[in-house]
Amino acid sequence: MKKLLFFLWAVLLYSCNSQSQLVNKKTKKNMEYFNIEKYKEWEVDTDWSPSKFSKRLKKGNDRVKIFFTERGSVVELMSALNHYTLYKSYFPNKSLKVIGRRFYDFYIGKWQVYDENGKLIKEEEEDAPYKFSVDQLIKKNKKEYDLDIEKNTKTTIVDRWLAPELNKKPFYSVSFRGKEGSTKWDYILVDGSTGETLFTSFFYFGDEETSYPFGRYIESLIKKEAEDNAYYKSYKGKDYTKKEWEIFVEKFHEDYQKNKKRSFWDDIFSRSTDD
């Protein structure tokens, strides 16, 4: 009996080791490595100054930036036609470490992190907090502003972030320059959950007074909150803030719709607000 158990244990151990080796072989076989030879037919991108720590190359509408550091290499693949970038970083052993995409300078889609053996150790979905997607933002700007933010130009800037000032509420901002050579840029703030345009403004490059439109949006919220909570009017001996009055009027109107016994507007506005 003991010999039989020992035999089964040995078979099981061998099977586990074989499966582990097979998985490792498959992992290594599927691993991506940095290979500078992939770009040997690309030409130098003369729009950028050369450096011993980096290369900038081009092939048709494709562009690539390659950076060399002590911690490995970084490759950024992009197009001359749009604002998307495929980012890849590699370990010193040239195996893939991080891969993900950007739109302008913010992360989109899935970002994946691997160890030096090619094992996926982390994955994050950067679009998760934004119910209103980048594609929807692109369509919104084409429809409402006749603005193609996807097209690679130097006259648009797009960003998105979770605002710490507002409990990490998601936002997009779209800035675009009007006339060529002008330093004035229009600014659109969009709700990252609903796609609603929340605020429009402008700024001038180099002008500290206008350089932070989102700050002016925060100021407008603070001002509105103060107005909503300040004294607005009195009715039947009770003082109301603007916000309380709006709630009261809405409820009164709902009650009126239910019983239809008297004129809503006559009752509210024919009387003195100081009753």
Side-chain angles (χ1 to χ4, degrees):
M1 184 68 180
K2 290 183 178 179
K3 289 183 178 180
L4 178 60
L5 291 175
F6 178 78
F7 174 76
L8 290 175
W9 176 81
V11 170
L12 180 62
L13 181 62
Y14 175 78
S15 176
C16 290
N17 287 336
S18 297
Q19 285 184 338
S20 178
Q21 290 174 8
L22 184 60
V23 169
N24 288 334
K25 284 181 179 179
K26 285 184 177 180
T27 300
K28 289 184 178 297
K29 184 179 178 180
N30 295 327
M31 282 174 63
E32 179 180 334
Y33 291 89
F34 171 67
N35 183 5
I36 192 67
E37 291 299 311
K38 288 174 59 176
Y39 308 102
K40 65 181 181 181
E41 295 182 358
W42 292 47
E43 60 180 298
V44 174
D45 189 346
T46 54
D47 290 339
W48 302 89
S49 300
S51 166
K52 66 178 182 178
F53 300 109
S54 65
K55 289 181 178 290
R56 294 175 185 260
L57 309 172
K58 63 181 180 178
K59 185 178 182 181
N61 289 319
D62 295 326
R63 301 288 185 270
V64 65
K65 299 178 188 177
I66 306 174
F67 303 93
F68 305 98
T69 71
E70 293 181 354
R71 293 179 293 178
S73 307
V74 173
V75 175
E76 295 184 356
L77 290 158
M78 60 208 75
S79 171
L81 303 178
N82 57 52
H83 283 283
Y84 295 98
T85 299
L86 176 61
Y87 174 94
K88 297 180 180 181
S89 69
Y90 298 87
F91 288 104
N93 71 355
K94 297 187 178 181
S95 66
L96 181 66
K97 180 179 181 181
V98 179
I99 183 171
R101 297 175 72 222
R102 295 197 306 259
F103 184 58
Y104 286 79
D105 288 328
F106 59 86
Y107 294 179
I108 60 172
K110 287 183 180 179
W111 277 68
Q112 297 174 321
V113 181
Y114 296 85
D115 65 16
E116 290 185 85
N117 296 313
K119 180 182 177 182
L120 179 65
I121 57 175
K122 187 178 181 181
E123 184 174 80
E124 291 191 9
E125 177 53 72
E126 298 293 337
D127 295 335
Y130 303 88
K131 294 180 181 178
F132 193 73
S133 69
V134 169
D135 287 341
Q136 289 174 309
L137 183 71
I138 291 169
K139 291 175 183 177
K140 172 185 173 72
N141 279 273
K142 284 181 179 178
K143 180 179 179 181
E144 298 181 12
Y145 304 101
D146 193 25
L147 184 66
D148 188 353
I149 61 174
E150 201 171 20
K151 186 178 179 181
N152 191 358
T153 69
K154 295 181 180 180
T155 58
T156 57
I157 301 172
V158 180
D159 196 8
R160 77 175 182 185
W161 69 101
L162 303 176
E165 306 95 329
L166 299 172
N167 296 319
K168 294 188 176 181
K169 178 180 173 67
F171 290 97
Y172 291 96
S173 68
V174 178
S175 304
F176 57 97
R177 188 175 65 194
K179 296 179 180 179
E180 186 175 351
S182 173
T183 59
K184 182 180 179 181
W185 288 63
D186 290 305
Y187 178 89
I188 303 165
L189 185 67
V190 177
D191 190 312
S193 294
T194 66
E196 177 188 359
T197 297
L198 299 173
F199 182 72
T200 59
S201 188
F202 64 89
F203 64 93
Y204 292 92
F205 274 117
D207 182 2
E208 293 184 3
E209 298 267 333
T210 65
S211 62
Y212 189 49
F214 185 69
R216 297 201 296 278
Y217 171 68
I218 296 295
E219 290 174 2
S220 72
L221 294 182
I222 295 172
K223 182 179 178 181
K224 184 178 184 305
E225 184 178 8
E227 290 175 350
D228 287 345
N229 291 295
Y231 169 78
Y232 183 64
K233 63 171 62 182
S234 296
Y235 177 68
K236 292 186 175 180
K238 182 178 178 180
D239 294 339
Y240 292 85
T241 65
K242 185 177 180 181
K243 192 171 184 178
E244 289 171 339
W245 179 252
E246 289 172 351
I247 294 171
F248 169 73
V249 170
E250 183 178 357
K251 186 177 184 305
F252 198 107
H253 180 61
E254 289 175 355
D255 292 341
Y256 168 75
Q257 291 297 325
K258 290 178 181 178
N259 54 51
K260 298 283 187 180
K261 290 182 178 179
R262 61 181 181 275
S263 168
F264 166 69
W265 296 112
D266 287 346
D267 189 89
I268 293 293
F269 295 110
S270 64
R271 303 183 185 188
S272 168
T273 57
D274 295 323
D275 285 351

